């Protein structure tokens, strides 16, 4: 890889820039970055609040039992959908407005289109949530966005959100594929591969999951497609976006290139090939033909190899910069996320065996696993990206850097508690199922674990609230920001002076 | 391979298409495409007694949900009829149409309320599930229009519902939807009170002396016939009822009051019909090739 392929470190492209000015780059529309991040954080909070409320039901004290539009079942849709479409998409799109023009040397298609996308997308996320709360959800997991049609018919009963989201996704694709296609480097850097493919996959995956199982593919074949949709949404949209941005931000912050280009290539192509083949592992031991199930099992195990190459590459890149984990909070978010990613994927390789499926499927083990991925990996990365960029975007020094540390520790420890708690609950659920214990024995056995889950959820929610307060106050309180405090110095080892570059 | 066009062609389109062919299209070709999917009308051929019962128990909501309800005659009405009376056949057809509509509506509510995030509809060949719930699920059995999209679910907070139909009485389910905790102590299933409000009714509270004598709560009340859309209509019905009472029963007038109706409404009826249907339909035998 030549250095021309590398994204330039932030700031170094305009050496004459005074150290204390808000970021400006002739190609980057900072206002769009800021607004997408702001909406991402709003939906993060509403989604987490919904999750927290749902957890109260499991303690036997749900305060809104008689309010149909705050029903537990409906809030659960909102919890997952706002995280996926409200938080993750806004976070990724915001980060792409920052990264793509810098990477390609070309502006996005149109700034005005950017404002249209911003407005349309938020409207759709809100329309999704409102539709779900009013009782128009669609029966596809992670895709409960209302089709607007009665299932299997063409009778319209609500805003056809699905089709509009497809349209929105096409606009996003046009916005970012244009600069990626016209990049000044004929050979794209790794980030470009991931983002390009991820955008195309988003459009295809969304169309597939929101039309075929409803109108074309019945029963077991529909289930196979639903599994594929669930998996592609995470594996072919969220994952490539996340890794693409890691390949962009990690070298910038650490100020050194990735360790191995060959590993980057293997990681990308193996992801593209194996990941989508995993879909059916969401419905193992079902009536989907066994040949299809075994295919999914084997490719799921193969993914573990891919993951290892990527992790090795990133941790090798870290060599000589280990102190950044202590001194640089964004790097700490990123690398904690990568460790969780490794754990998650290692889990997958075992989960997918039919022996383990037998016990853990249908139990809280799976939500435990899902929280480690969606929160522990991708949300952590977006937290890191926003934390890295926010002072640059506003030009203001953090209102309070310690609040960011609180955010990290509350979220990280809260998540670990939740994870271990739900895994334990899942195993017990699985064995009680096998034992033919009466159903209420299973429910009662889960209750202590559900209490711990609510507690850990509260920790995570509080962490995010503190961070949000910090983001808002930072934006409102002008205080000169010197970006040099956040640069990772190039010492070879963690010397005694390393920590002084700025406490995160 | 690191050119834009190659990424789009091989990764973006190629890998996606391959995966779809192997894990979406291939299962479709070897299962669903080999036999026709059962339509909702086919699923609703045999109208069960539990559905007939709904018309008698919740006549107002039933009539509102089903225009055919006049033609759909209850067992008592049919009993007094001559053989060959044309109303027999009309009644049968009306029942099937009403049942089909209720199943579809019920499935829609099952999706919208997120029941499928707490209940599965697939029995696996492991963990003694076939002992606990019933025969292991086959794809043929799910090859019907009510499984669009499939409601297999991925989490079991409550038990699997594949074979829930006929397992319990309508009354059990009605009480359970209203107050799961009262029926199953310690349950974490949320109540669904919005399956119940079907308008306004005039109620008559029990005579306190009778309550005293029989050990009933003094708050016990019984609805008078009639359900009204608005509170105002119910109030005027209350006024009429009070006037009709002879002056010797003046004390009774005070015991009449208007309250929200607590029978099942259309959503609740449909939900119940759907739950009672689950697992009762068996696919016709495969025709020999």
């Amino acid at each position: 890889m030549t250095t021309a392929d590398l994204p330039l470190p932030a700031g170094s492209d305009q050496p004459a820039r005074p150290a204390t000015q808000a970021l400006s780059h002739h190609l980057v529309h900072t206002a769009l970055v800021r607004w997408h991040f702001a909406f991402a954080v709003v939906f993060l909070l509403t989604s987490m609040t919904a999750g927290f409320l749902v957890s109260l039901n499991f303690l036997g004290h749900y305060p809104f039992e008689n309010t149909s539009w705050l029903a537990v079942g409906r809030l659960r849709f909102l919890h997952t959908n706002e995280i996926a479409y409200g938080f993750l998409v806004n976070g990724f799109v915001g980060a792409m407005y920052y990264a793509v023009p810098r990477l390609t040397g070309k502006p996005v298609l149109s700034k005005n289109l950017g404002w249209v996308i911003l407005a349309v997308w938020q409207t759709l996320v809100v329309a999704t949530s409102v539709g779900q709360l009013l009782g128009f959800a669609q029966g596809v997991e992670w895709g409960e966005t209302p089709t607007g049609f009665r299932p299997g018919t063409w009778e319209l009963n609500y805003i056809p959100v699905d089709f509009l989201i497809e349209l929105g996704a096409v606009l996003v694709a046009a916005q970012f594929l244009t600069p990626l296609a016209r990049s000044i480097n004929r050979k794209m850097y790794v980030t470009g591969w991931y983002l390009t493919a991820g955008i195309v996959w988003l459009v295809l995956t969304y169309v597939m999951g929101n039309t075929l199982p409803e109108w074309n593919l019945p029963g077991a074949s529909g289930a196979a497609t639903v599994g594929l949709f669930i998996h592609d949404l995470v594996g072919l949209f969220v994952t490539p976006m996340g890794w693409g941005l890691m390949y962009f931000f990690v070298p910038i912050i650490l100020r050194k290139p990735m360790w191995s280009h060959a590993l980057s290539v293997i990681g990308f192509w193996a992801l593209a090939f194996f990941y989508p083949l995993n879909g059916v592992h969401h419905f193992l031991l079902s009536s989907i033909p066994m040949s299809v199930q075994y295919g999914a099992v084997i490719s799921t195990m193969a993914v573990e190899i891919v993951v290892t190459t990527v992790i090795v590459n990133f941790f090798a890149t870290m060599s000589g910069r280990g102190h950044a984990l202590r001194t640089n909070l964004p790097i700490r978010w990123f690398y904690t996320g990568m460790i969780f990613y490794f754990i998650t994927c290692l889990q997958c390789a075992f989960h997918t065996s039919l022996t383990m499926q037998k016990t853990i499927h249908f139990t809280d083990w799976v939500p435990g696993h899902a929280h480690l991925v969606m929160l522990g990996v991708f949300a952590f990365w977006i937290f890191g990206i926003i934390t890295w960029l926010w002072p640059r975007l506003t030009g203001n020094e953090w209102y309070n850097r310690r609040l960011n540390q609180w955010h990290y520790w509350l979220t990280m420890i809260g998540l670990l508690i939740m994870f271990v708690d739900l895994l334990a609950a899942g195993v017990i659920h699985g064995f009680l199922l096998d034992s033919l214990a009466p159903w209420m024995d299973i429910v009662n056995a889960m209750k202590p674990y559900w209490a711990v889950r609510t507690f850990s959820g509260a920790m995570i929610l509080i962490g995010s609230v503190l961070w949000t307060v910090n983001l808002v106050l930072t934006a409102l309180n002008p205080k000169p920001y010197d970006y040099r405090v956040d640069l990772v110095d190039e010492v070879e080892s963690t010397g005694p002076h390393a920590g002084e570059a700025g406490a995160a | 391979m690191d050119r834009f066009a190659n990424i789009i062609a091989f990764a973006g389109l190629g890998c996606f298409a391959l995966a779809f062919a192997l894990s979406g299209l291939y299962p479709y070709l070897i299962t669903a495409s080999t036999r026709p999917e059962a339509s909702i009308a086919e699923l609703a051929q045999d109208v069960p007694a539990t559905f007939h019962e709904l018309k008698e128990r919740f006549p107002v909501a039933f009539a509102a949900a089903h225009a055919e309800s006049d033609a759909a005659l209850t067992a008592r009405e049919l009993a007094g009829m001559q053989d060959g009376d044309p109303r027999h056949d009309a009644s049968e057809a009306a029942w099937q149409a009403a049942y089909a509509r209720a199943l579809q509506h019920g499935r829609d509510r099952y999706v919208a309320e997120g029941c499928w995030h707490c209940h599965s509809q697939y029995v696996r060949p492991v963990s003694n599930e076939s002992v606990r719930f019933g025969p292991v699920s086959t794809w043929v059995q799910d090859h019907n229009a009510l499984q669009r999209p499939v409601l297999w679910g991925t989490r079991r907070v409550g038990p699997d519902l594949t074979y829930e139909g006929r397992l319990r009485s309508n009354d059990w389910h009605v009480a359970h939807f209203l107050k799961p905790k009262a029926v199953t102590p310690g349950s974490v299933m949320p109540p669904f009170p919005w399956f119940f409000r079907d308008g306004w009714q005039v109620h008559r509270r029990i005579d306190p002396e009778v309550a005293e004598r029989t050990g009933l709560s003094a708050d016990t009340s019984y609805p008078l016939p009639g359900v009204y859309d608005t509170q105002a209509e119910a109030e005027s019905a209350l006024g009429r009822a009070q006037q009709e009472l002879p002056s010797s029963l003046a004390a009774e007038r005070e015991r009449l009051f208007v309250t929200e109706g607590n029978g099942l409404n259309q959503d609740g009826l449909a939900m119940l019909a759907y739950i009672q249907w689950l697992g009762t339909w068996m696919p016709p035998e495969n025709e020999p090739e």
Side-chain angles (χ1 to χ4, degrees):
Chain A
M1 178 167 66
T2 65
T3 42
D5 294 343
L6 259 186
L8 294 171
S12 67
D13 49 341
Q14 283 173 311
R17 173 155 79 90
T20 59
Q21 190 187 309
L23 168 118
S24 83
H25 183 289
H26 62 293
L27 295 174
V28 174
H29 305 308
T30 25
L32 286 172
V33 185
R34 262 199 313 264
W35 277 106
H36 274 289
F37 284 170
F39 280 112
V41 174
V42 168
F43 290 123
L44 173 77
L45 291 184
T46 46
S47 159
M48 283 186 171
T49 308
F52 180 74
L53 287 178
V54 171
S55 83
L56 294 181
N57 172 66
F58 291 82
L59 308 186
H61 298 289
Y62 185 62
F64 309 112
E65 261 183 359
N66 292 320
T67 317
S68 65
W69 57 274
L70 286 177
V72 170
R74 303 185 192 183
L75 274 180
R76 186 203 185 277
F77 304 141
L78 187 146
H79 174 59
T80 54
N81 285 224
E82 283 199 355
I83 276 297
Y85 305 107
F87 172 67
L88 292 178
V89 171
N90 270 315
F92 288 143
V93 168
M96 281 204 290
Y97 273 116
Y98 178 87
V100 170
R102 289 167 163 257
L103 189 70
T104 59
K106 298 282 184 205
V108 292
L109 179 60
S110 146
K111 188 173 182 178
N112 287 335
L113 177 63
W115 290 110
V116 172
I117 292 175
L118 180 81
V120 167
W121 197 266
Q122 315 319 319
T123 313
L124 289 175
V125 176
V126 172
T128 297
S129 300
V130 170
Q132 290 165 345
L133 293 183
L134 294 180
F136 297 103
Q138 168 181 231
V140 172
E141 196 167 357
W142 283 107
E144 291 95 343
T145 46
T147 42
F149 297 95
R150 284 190 71 178
T153 73
W154 291 105
E155 285 168 53
L156 204 62
N157 60 10
Y158 184 71
I159 310 165
V161 179
D162 274 353
F163 290 100
L164 297 174
I165 288 188
E166 276 151 27
L167 214 68
V170 170
L171 294 183
V172 172
Q175 181 78 314
F176 293 105
L177 289 184
T178 309
L180 285 164
R182 294 165 54 218
S183 172
I184 50 175
N185 305 314
R186 293 244 299 139
K187 288 182 159 196
M188 282 199 289
Y189 172 65
V190 204
T191 301
W193 316 340
Y194 276 108
L195 298 185
T196 304
I199 291 168
V200 176
W201 286 329
L202 171 66
V203 176
L204 295 176
T205 300
Y206 202 83
V207 173
M208 174 186 75
N210 288 280
T211 52
L212 299 184
E214 290 76 5
W215 281 283
N216 308 92
L217 302 177
S221 60
T225 317
V226 168
L228 196 59
F229 169 76
I230 300 175
H231 201 77
D232 282 0
L233 198 70
V234 180
L236 290 189
F237 170 64
V238 178
T239 306
M241 289 289 147
W243 279 118
L245 293 168
M246 285 304 99
Y247 277 106
F248 181 83
F249 282 103
V250 166
I252 284 182
I253 301 182
L254 292 183
R255 298 205 280 175
K256 64 185 291 210
M258 290 304 298
W259 182 63
S260 157
H261 187 63
L263 284 186
S264 306
V265 175
I266 295 175
F268 174 79
W269 286 102
L271 175 138
F273 186 78
F274 286 117
Y275 236 124
L277 294 173
N278 293 1
V280 173
H281 75 198
H282 292 265
F283 293 114
L284 291 177
L285 293 168
S286 70
S287 60
I288 296 172
M290 247 8 241
S291 51
V292 183
Q293 296 188 37
Y294 284 130
V297 169
I298 291 165
S299 54
T300 305
M301 292 178 171
V303 165
E304 183 52 31
I305 299 165
V306 183
V307 168
T308 311
T309 63
V310 177
I311 298 285
V312 166
N313 200 4
F314 272 89
F315 275 82
T317 305
M318 194 64 167
S319 94
R321 299 282 200 283
H323 59 284
L325 284 176
R326 213 159 21 85
T327 60
N328 189 290
L329 186 57
I331 284 290
R332 201 190 310 147
W333 278 121
F334 294 163
Y335 276 79
T336 314
M338 287 178 210
I339 293 171
F340 285 160
Y341 185 80
F342 186 72
I343 298 175
T344 319
C345 295
L346 192 65
Q347 275 194 308
C348 291
F350 289 98
H351 287 176
T352 192
S353 69
L354 298 186
T355 321
M356 204 160 164
Q357 270 301 301
K358 166 183 168 211
T359 303
I360 63 167
H361 192 55
F362 290 131
T363 75
D364 268 337
W365 179 296
V366 182
H369 170 73
H371 278 89
L372 195 70
V373 195
M374 297 309 261
L375 174 60
V377 183
F378 301 108
F380 274 29
W381 289 352
I382 291 179
F383 293 158
I385 292 172
I386 298 182
T387 303
W388 169 253
L389 288 181
W390 198 247
R392 287 174 168 68
L393 295 169
T394 57
N396 296 341
E397 168 57 35
W398 283 105
Y399 171 76
N400 182 340
R401 279 174 181 260
R402 288 184 56 197
L403 285 181
N404 288 349
Q405 296 289 344
W406 276 97
H407 177 213
Y408 176 83
W409 288 108
L410 280 172
T411 312
M412 211 272 282
I413 295 174
L415 174 64
L416 277 180
I417 296 175
M418 181 183 286
F419 178 65
V420 173
D421 174 61
L422 291 180
L423 295 200
V427 175
I428 294 170
H429 190 308
F431 284 126
L432 283 175
L433 177 75
D434 202 0
S435 77
L436 291 176
W439 196 265
M440 279 313 293
D441 285 5
I442 303 183
V443 173
N444 288 326
M446 293 299 104
K447 286 180 179 171
Y449 297 91
W450 286 337
V452 173
R453 170 176 66 182
T454 301
F455 171 77
S456 59
M459 281 178 74
I460 296 169
L461 179 58
I462 292 170
S464 287
V465 169
L466 293 180
W467 183 55
T468 310
V469 168
N470 206 16
L471 291 171
V472 172
L473 291 179
T474 302
L476 296 181
N477 283 331
K479 190 172 165 197
Y481 171 63
D482 183 344
Y483 68 84
R484 286 171 302 195
V485 300
D486 283 329
L487 294 186
V488 175
D489 49 355
E490 305 187 20
V491 287
E492 281 302 314
S493 62
T494 51
H497 59 292
E500 286 151 26
Chain B
M1 286 307 266
D2 37 14
R3 302 278 159 83
F4 180 78
N6 292 343
I7 299 281
I8 297 260
F10 294 109
L13 303 177
C15 291
F16 185 90
L18 177 73
F20 177 67
L22 289 179
S23 44
L25 212 53
Y26 168 64
Y28 173 75
L29 289 177
I30 61 175
T31 62
S33 72
T34 60
R35 59 182 291 149
E37 180 194 32
S39 70
I40 296 182
E42 285 168 66
L43 304 177
Q45 292 285 309
D46 300 324
V47 184
T50 47
F51 190 67
H52 283 257
E53 192 188 70
L54 293 178
K55 184 180 174 187
E56 291 180 30
R57 291 285 311 282
F58 308 101
V60 180
F62 195 91
H66 303 295
E68 312 84 348
S69 111
D70 285 346
L73 303 174
T74 58
R76 207 177 318 124
E77 290 163 323
L78 285 168
M81 219 172 265
Q82 303 277 317
D83 275 353
D85 189 313
R87 284 178 294 167
H88 257 288
D89 288 349
S91 171
E92 183 66 17
W95 275 113
Q96 286 172 345
Y99 190 41
R101 177 164 329 102
L103 290 182
Q104 187 173 8
H105 185 155
R107 187 271 319 265
D108 293 358
R109 298 321 302 161
Y110 186 89
V111 171
E113 297 293 354
C115 312
W116 52 291
H117 279 318
C118 277
H119 292 282
S120 59
Q121 285 191 26
Y122 94 74
V123 179
R124 305 179 301 164
V126 291
S127 279
N128 285 320
E129 288 188 13
S130 53
V131 179
R132 190 190 280 273
F133 300 124
V136 173
S137 299
T138 62
W139 71 265
V140 184
Q141 149 191 1
D142 287 331
H143 193 45
N144 67 64
L146 286 180
Q147 289 284 358
R148 270 175 190 249
V150 270
L151 295 173
W152 287 0
T154 52
R155 177 78 182 86
R156 274 186 198 143
V157 177
D160 187 274
L161 296 181
T162 308
Y163 301 103
E164 183 66 21
R166 294 190 199 147
L167 208 64
R168 299 177 185 277
S169 67
N170 280 346
D171 286 348
W172 189 92
H173 287 293
V174 170
H176 189 247
F177 283 141
L178 190 62
K179 281 200 173 112
K181 286 189 183 63
V183 177
T184 313
S187 175
V188 291
M189 173 155 154
F192 291 90
W194 49 93
F195 286 171
F196 288 86
R197 275 166 223 132
D198 56 355
W200 297 83
Q201 281 178 313
V202 180
H203 271 235
R204 181 168 155 191
R205 195 171 288 115
I206 191 173
D207 182 334
E209 278 173 28
V210 176
E212 178 88 42
R213 208 165 350 106
T214 52
L216 288 171
S217 152
D219 287 337
T220 310
S221 68
Y222 303 96
L224 304 190
V227 181
Y228 305 91
D229 287 341
T230 65
Q231 192 172 4
E233 285 173 54
E235 297 286 358
S236 64
L238 171 79
R240 284 195 302 278
Q242 283 172 329
Q243 275 166 16
E244 282 165 17
L245 282 172
S247 54
S248 59
L249 289 177
E252 282 287 296
R253 289 183 192 158
E254 301 307 308
R255 291 203 283 272
L256 293 182
F257 65 103
V258 163
T259 181
E260 278 181 276
N262 59 2
L264 282 184
N265 61 15
Q266 298 186 36
D267 287 345
L269 280 184
M271 190 78 249
L272 191 43
Y274 176 70
I275 290 292
Q276 293 289 33
W277 169 82
L278 287 172
T280 60
W281 174 78
M282 274 300 139
E285 289 297 313
N286 242 337
E287 323 260 283
E289 309 252 320

